[in-house]
Amino acid sequence: MDASARLSAWLKDHPQTISKVVDIDTDTDRLLKLELTSANKELSIDILDNTDRFCAWVNQKLADNNCRYGIGGYMELRTIYDNRTQFDTTGEERRNLHLGVDIWGDAGTPVYAPLAGTIHSFQDNDNFGDYGPTIILTHNLDGLTLYSLYGHLSRTNLVGLTVGQRIESGQQIANLGEVHENGNWPPHLHFQLMLDMEGKAGDYFGACKKSEKDKYLQNIPDPDILLRFSNGIILTTLSS
């Protein structure tokens, strides 16, 4: 059994160990699927090139659809990265296949650890379009190692952290950061799972080349295996 299958089996056998990542009321909350591909004709270059306009677009869509959170992104091919230089590979194929799930919401929204673990690493990836403040946790699941990454946080969330620090399931670990500190994005959480950190610390690719999809599928499980948004929470599509 490969690592992804072992992970699925372990989580299925230990549902009581899984906690929330953000506050969700399953009776009242709906999640708005925000598509950030070329198929979304509303997202013009004028919007994507202006963070204030991009924020206004996200906020308006959430308000129009009466949703507290937007959601989406796992293995989504995103044209949104075309104006973000860190996704450029100097004339080669761009890194625009998104590897995590984004949860769009208000700055300050609490973020929680869905599994018990320890702090693997943390770092302020302070570049335009980057993660901004980032925390990575290590989870030992009866011998299977899983890593979870939380990007676009508040800088205050990094104060007082230490590598190896114990984190409990359901413990608040962060908040969604403001635009000026989160890599110049509308406030959201980039949540990603990795089976192997490949020697990295404080950072891991949040997007890869489309041609590398099969490779990264082996290391990057679908975060919904922990989020469980598709199980019991109504997903609503973007209104026109």
Side-chain angles (χ1 to χ4, degrees):
M1 185 183 297
D2 65 20
S4 292
R6 288 175 60 199
L7 173 61
S8 297
W10 192 93
L11 293 174
K12 182 178 180 180
D13 290 342
H14 300 80
Q16 73 282 358
T17 67
I18 305 173
S19 186
K20 61 189 176 183
V21 174
V22 293
D23 289 310
I24 291 283
D25 185 332
T26 56
D27 292 328
T28 59
D29 274 321
R30 297 184 306 159
L31 299 170
L32 180 64
K33 296 177 72 173
L34 291 178
E35 184 175 351
L36 304 183
T37 71
S38 59
N40 187 345
K41 302 305 181 184
E42 290 187 42
L43 281 177
S44 65
I45 294 298
D46 287 343
I47 293 175
L48 296 177
D49 279 350
N50 186 302
T51 304
D52 289 339
R53 291 177 186 169
F54 191 12
C55 287
W57 182 86
V58 171
N59 291 336
Q60 190 63 57
K61 287 302 171 186
L62 293 178
D64 288 347
N65 289 273
N66 193 30
C67 290
R68 185 157 49 138
Y69 302 109
I71 187 74
Y74 180 63
M75 293 297 163
E76 181 177 74
L77 192 63
R78 290 183 162 180
T79 53
I80 188 175
Y81 295 144
D82 289 350
N83 70 333
R84 310 271 172 160
T85 57
Q86 78 273 17
F87 298 99
D88 195 355
T89 49
T90 60
E92 300 177 3
E93 181 185 3
R94 297 186 70 89
R95 293 192 297 110
N96 56 8
L97 187 67
H98 193 247
L99 297 175
V101 162
D102 287 333
I103 304 174
W104 308 84
D106 293 335
T109 295
V111 176
Y112 305 89
L115 294 169
T118 59
I119 293 179
H120 172 274
S121 52
F122 54 94
Q123 180 171 287
D124 188 355
N125 297 290
D126 186 19
N127 302 295
F128 179 80
D130 211 328
Y131 285 136
T134 307
I135 297 173
I136 299 174
L137 304 182
T138 304
H139 312 280
N140 187 334
L141 310 179
D142 292 336
L144 174 65
T145 301
L146 177 70
Y147 303 92
S148 57
L149 181 150
Y150 310 80
H152 309 295
L153 309 176
S154 169
R155 287 202 178 101
T156 60
N157 299 145
L158 304 185
V159 176
L161 296 185
T162 56
V163 172
Q165 180 179 334
R166 177 72 180 175
I167 301 295
E168 301 301 331
S169 177
Q171 179 179 335
Q172 183 179 342
I173 59 170
N175 304 83
L176 301 193
E178 301 278 359
V179 171
H180 70 272
E181 62 185 348
N182 77 351
N184 290 91
W185 293 95
H188 73 288
L189 173 70
H190 177 97
F191 178 65
Q192 184 170 312
L193 303 177
M194 293 81 59
L195 296 166
D196 185 350
M197 281 296 295
E198 301 178 4
K200 297 178 175 63
D203 194 10
Y204 188 94
F205 288 139
C208 70
K209 300 175 184 178
K210 183 180 177 182
S211 62
E212 297 176 327
K213 180 177 181 178
D214 289 344
K215 168 189 170 183
Y216 280 95
L217 278 171
Q218 300 301 310
N219 191 42
I220 312 293
D222 185 344
D224 196 58
I225 198 171
L226 281 177
L227 294 172
R228 301 180 292 184
F229 285 165
S230 60
N231 180 22
I233 294 179
I234 299 172
L235 294 175
T236 185
T237 55
L238 186 66
S239 69
S240 59

